[in-house]
Amino acid sequence: MTRPGHRAPALNETGETGEPGVPEVAAPPTPDPLLPLAQRASRGDREALARLLSLVAPAVVTTVRVVLGSQGADLEDAAQEAMIAIADSARRFRGESSFLHYARRIAARTAFSLRRARLETARKLAEATAAPADARPSLEPAPSAEVEREQRLEAFRRLLDQLPEGQAESLTYRVLLDYPLPVIARETGVPVNTVRSRIRLARDHLRECILADPALAELLREPT
Amino acid sequence: MTLADLHPDELLRRATYDRITPGERADLHAHLERCPACALELAVRGDAATAAIPSEADHAVAARIVDRVLTSKIPVHGASVAGPWRGRLARAAVIALMLTSTAVGASAIAVRLHERRATTARPAPTAAPVIEAPRTHHVRPAALPPVPEPPTTDPEGPTEAIRAVRPSPDERIARPHARPEIASAPSVTHAALQPPAVGVTAPAADSAAAAMVLARAEEARAQRRFADATRLYDDLAARFPGSREEVVARVLHGQLLLDEMHDAASALRWFDRYLAREPGGALAEEARLGRAQALQLRGSRDGERAAWEELLRKHPASVHAGAARARLGALRAP
């Protein structure tokens, strides 16, 4: 269920919290099949809103899972918070992007927020107990390709946790969510060239981490 | 600045979808050998694209969350979304989801079938003495890599599967097959997905669930996860035998086995199963084409000749007629 203090910020349609001067997302080249429902929902049609939530929910869950990892209750909590944020933001949807894109951005932001909060808690706990969190992935033999995939994703997330927030956020959008650079620029509120720079620095940092830790190279094995 | 410093961002992205030229691939591999970060990133990109496809478990989680949000007293737009209509809405929403999956799945299938038709009907590039049969993977120009569709993580698309049939926003490379005639394509698949005059009428819920499995199979195929796609087609056949989706999938599965996995024997069985069920069905022409190609791959000259002749007899106006005649001419040559 929803945890207090971690509520995702209400967003306007471009995924912003009100910062001016950030360009809008270009309208999708194909009609958005969810637009009629979204428009009805934005006018207060509860039935349309319910249908809309049902249709975007699977994508919200996967977006949260990709960013946050498969952490059971955490995943459901995050996805639920995202869904509430989406419902709350539906009235601000203006059809300037697809509604699914809109919902995914909210889900990604919610997941970022929770992951950062979780990381901060882990750091404080590690400081208190003098037992640093292990940033290395588990390298136990993977029983299946699916498990191996999740191990690699989790290792990547842990590497991201070592990066400055701006770099981690940019690389997450780029690699895990496959966002175009201009969209990342809008999401993070910085120019595109800054995004490029952040991503390059993040990759440089990851390379240093991997070169310094041969165990991480194991993750580059071909999937079984 | 060395090559390792210039992380090839765009190449990494396109490589995820196998949309790079051989030259670019060589450059990328040279970089990956020196840059473990990019090597890890490339692997993770594929992992993330796969993970972004909702599984059955994800759908279950999503349904639970929607149910909780709808039943909670959480104020949305100043009023609770809960109400006496909730149960009816939940069912309607599930059906709407399934229908959406059917529609987008059908669109994806239609585009692929259309491409297959266009490619197959394309005249041979040269008047070679040995006429090649119109196998899709044989006539594709060697210089062009296979082009899977972008995964569902593309943030600009309106729905999961609709996004799978159009390029992502920052795609720079041209597709090998233009798709100007897509608008005319859905008729084939839409017709195929319509119930036949006589046939099994599956309950609505089963039909929707079958459509979901079919859509997932097509998604997996678009992302070149062929083993997953095969498993999903098999799942569809096992769980929903005789449904419209399962019958249509017989041809799609056969094409996958033939074109991508080069398993002619298995492909032939699926084409035969479709034709046994619907010899005059909307996909009968595709099935007969597949049969001829599968028999050619198996080296069965007599069988292949009979298959081409049947295609011409049953579908004299087929777009494959010219290719069929050319192939028959080659088979008759000493």
Side-chain angles (χ1 to χ4, degrees), chain B residues 2 37 82 89 163 173 183 241 258 262 266 292 294:
Chain B
T2 68
L89 274 185
R163 211 174 30 250
I173 197 165
L258 183 64
H262 311 296
S266 299

Side-chain angles (χ1 to χ4, degrees), chain A residues 207 211, chain B residues 2-4 29-37:
Chain A
R207 186 168 51 139
L211 290 175
Chain B
T2 68
L3 179 62
H29 284 172
H31 175 82
L32 296 181
E33 286 184 3
R34 284 181 278 175
C35 183

Side-chain angles (χ1 to χ4, degrees), chain A residues 26 28 32 93 95-103 105, chain B residues 155-159:
Chain A
D32 181 359
F93 182 70
E96 293 166 353
S97 69
S98 75
F99 190 84
L100 186 65
H101 182 198
Y102 183 55
R105 292 204 319 261
Chain B
E156 290 286 332
T159 73

Side-chain angles (χ1 to χ4, degrees), chain A residues 45-98:
Chain A
D45 184 331
R46 296 184 306 172
E47 183 170 344
L49 178 64
R51 287 189 179 181
L52 199 58
L53 294 181
S54 295
L55 288 166
V56 301
V60 168
V61 170
T62 57
T63 300
V64 169
R65 180 160 48 76
V66 166
V67 174
L68 206 56
S70 301
Q71 300 289 332
D74 271 2
L75 171 66
E76 284 207 36
D77 284 351
Q80 180 167 313
E81 286 190 32
M83 290 293 288
I84 292 169
I86 291 163
D88 205 33
S89 302
R91 61 184 161 180
R92 287 185 288 279
F93 182 70
R94 299 189 301 272
E96 293 166 353
S97 69
S98 75

Side-chain angles (χ1 to χ4, degrees), chain B residues 82-108:
Chain B
W85 38 268
R86 188 191 57 76
R88 180 167 53 86
L89 274 185
R91 284 192 297 276
V94 169
I95 296 299
L97 174 62
M98 301 299 189
L99 291 176
T100 301
S101 299
T102 304
V104 295
S107 299

Side-chain angles (χ1 to χ4, degrees), chain A residues 166-215:
Chain A
Q167 291 179 25
E169 196 174 19
S170 296
L171 199 61
T172 300
Y173 275 129
R174 188 62 172 159
V175 176
L176 296 183
L177 300 176
D178 198 30
Y179 276 25
L181 295 176
V183 176
I184 301 173
R186 190 208 52 245
E187 287 296 305
T188 54
V190 297
V192 171
N193 281 338
T194 302
V195 172
R196 285 199 180 93
S197 175
R198 285 178 173 177
I199 290 175
R200 183 181 59 77
L201 289 171
R203 286 174 176 145
D204 286 346
H205 185 88
L206 294 193
R207 186 168 51 139
E208 296 305 315
C209 287
I210 296 171
L211 290 175
D213 186 353

Side-chain angles (χ1 to χ4, degrees), chain B residues 122-313:
Chain B
R122 191 176 300 154
T126 60
V130 177
I131 301 171
E132 288 292 330
R135 289 190 53 78
T136 305
H137 55 277
H138 285 172
V139 298
R140 177 176 288 152
L144 292 169
V147 183
E149 300 299 341
T152 58
T153 47
D154 182 340
E156 290 286 332
T159 73
E160 299 279 343
I162 282 179
R163 211 174 30 250
V165 297
R166 68 181 178 80
S168 54
D170 60 351
E171 188 60 53
R172 298 285 190 270
I173 197 165
R175 289 168 175 270
H177 308 304
R179 294 174 170 171
E181 310 88 349
I182 281 175
S184 65
S187 59
V188 175
T189 311
H190 288 168
L193 285 171
Q194 297 307 307
V198 178
V200 176
T201 304
D206 279 359
S207 178
M212 180 67 81
V213 177
L214 177 58
R216 289 182 58 206
E218 288 302 298
E219 268 189 307
R221 179 187 186 128
Q223 295 185 349
R224 306 189 67 75
R225 294 183 296 107
F226 300 133
D228 287 347
T230 293
R231 181 178 53 77
L232 287 162
Y233 285 133
D234 286 338
D235 185 41
L236 183 62
R239 290 169 58 195
F240 308 101
S243 66
R244 286 307 308 148
E245 289 76 12
E246 188 272 329
V247 173
V248 167
R250 294 176 190 179
V251 178
L252 302 174
H253 195 177
Q255 290 178 340
L256 171 72
L257 291 164
L258 183 64
D259 291 346
E260 308 293 353
M261 305 176 86
H262 311 296
D263 182 352
S266 299
L268 195 58
R269 281 197 294 273
W270 284 109
F271 293 134
D272 285 342
R273 285 189 62 187
Y274 177 85
L275 290 170
R277 170 66 183 261
E278 294 185 3
L283 296 180
E285 183 183 341
E286 302 296 335
R288 292 194 172 95
L289 171 68
R291 284 193 81 251
Q293 293 174 331
L295 288 162
Q296 181 196 358
L297 193 61
R298 295 185 71 179
S300 171
R301 290 175 65 90
D302 290 343
E304 182 193 352
R305 183 186 304 114
W308 286 119
E309 288 170 349
E310 183 183 3
L311 175 67
L312 287 174
R313 189 170 61 253

